[in-house]
Amino acid sequence: MKKLTRVHPLMSEAFVIWLTMIGYRFVTNASGVLFYCEASGKNFPRNVMIMANGRLNKPATQLFEEFKKYKPFGEVA
């Protein structure tokens, strides 16, 4: 079984805000939140999804790792 990594709730909310600021739009449904961007390429992957149980798919995980490089809260989160 894979070990779960929990993040601070403010970090999760900041990630969603960051996605919308860089140009992603989102659609919510029963299975989770799907983010899409009109631009495509290596820096803007498609089918970014946060599932209803809080898990991230592979493109969302890649963007989250990039987001963590900016250290949005410093030592707090």
Side-chain angles (χ1 to χ4, degrees):
M1 181 175 204
K2 188 175 180 181
K3 183 181 177 186
L4 295 176
T5 305
R6 301 200 184 271
V7 296
H8 194 278
L10 289 177
M11 185 96 160
S12 300
E13 190 171 336
F15 175 60
V16 172
I17 293 170
W18 180 74
L19 282 175
T20 58
M21 292 298 291
I22 63 172
Y24 280 89
R25 296 175 190 224
F26 63 92
V27 176
T28 58
N29 56 23
S31 62
V33 181
L34 177 65
F35 292 89
Y36 63 93
C37 188
E38 292 181 10
S40 63
K42 187 176 86 171
N43 296 330
F44 292 100
R46 293 182 178 192
N47 298 327
V48 176
M49 185 169 187
I50 301 174
M51 295 171 223
N53 61 1
R55 294 186 63 198
L56 305 174
N57 66 352
K58 187 175 180 180
T61 304
Q62 292 171 347
L63 285 173
F64 189 73
E65 293 299 321
E66 181 181 341
F67 170 70
K68 286 195 309 189
K69 291 178 186 175
Y70 292 107
K71 299 186 189 289
F73 297 111
E75 296 294 322
V76 175

